[in-house]
Amino acid sequence: MNTNTVGEFSLFALPGSMNVASTTFIVDAVGTAGTFDVGIYSGDGGTLYTQGTTNNIANTGLHSVTFSPSVTLGAGTYYWALIPNGTANLTFKVRSLTTGLMNESLPEQNIFQLVGESNPAISVSGLTAGTLPASFDPTINSSPSWYIFRLDNPL
């Protein structure tokens, strides 16, 4: 993912209420180190509930971002979103409906550790560089894969 005017939005479902303070995801490859904005949207794409910016990501593996503010999400569907800042170029771990887990180099993270059920991702182009939009249209474009991530809450 290396175009800072294209955001990726991955649908997921929560079976119950959860306070979300951060999120963790897997980076499989680093082309150009950099930062990403990550956020959570309503299931209709109409509301950006919270967002945060990663630290500089220069290596593969697990990475987290803290949301400001933390948010309590009720049972329902939501989108987990990300957009690169500047020239950041990273490959994230994804799951595909046609091929299963890709690049299975990190066995400690698997699909059963996800919160909710993930569904295909949406790519939205023409965004302001490095900025998650206030809302987006979830009906415009989808793919048969989605990002693997975990929602984290404070203890």
Side-chain angles (χ1 to χ4, degrees), residues 14-119:
L14 279 179
S17 182
M18 179 180 183
N19 182 33
V20 180
S22 61
T23 186
T24 301
F25 50 91
I26 302 171
V27 173
D28 269 347
V30 177
T32 303
T35 65
F36 278 71
D37 286 349
V38 182
I40 296 178
Y41 287 84
S42 59
D44 65 0
T47 304
L48 173 59
Y49 289 123
T50 189
Q51 64 182 321
T53 302
T54 66
N55 291 326
N56 187 60
I57 298 174
N59 59 336
T60 61
L62 294 173
H63 293 273
S64 296
V65 61
T66 300
F67 289 128
S68 181
S70 63
V71 63
T72 299
L73 302 174
T77 58
Y78 300 91
Y79 281 92
W80 185 86
L82 71 161
I83 190 169
N85 294 305
T87 59
N89 180 6
L90 305 177
T91 300
F92 293 86
K93 183 168 286 291
V94 297
R95 173 141 176 109
S96 170
L97 295 176
T98 57
T99 60
L101 287 174
M102 297 181 179
N103 304 322
E104 293 191 13
S105 58
L106 295 172
E108 70 272 10
Q109 180 75 15
N110 65 55
I111 195 68
F112 302 109
Q113 293 172 315
L114 296 177
V115 174
E117 303 171 21
S118 292
N119 291 300

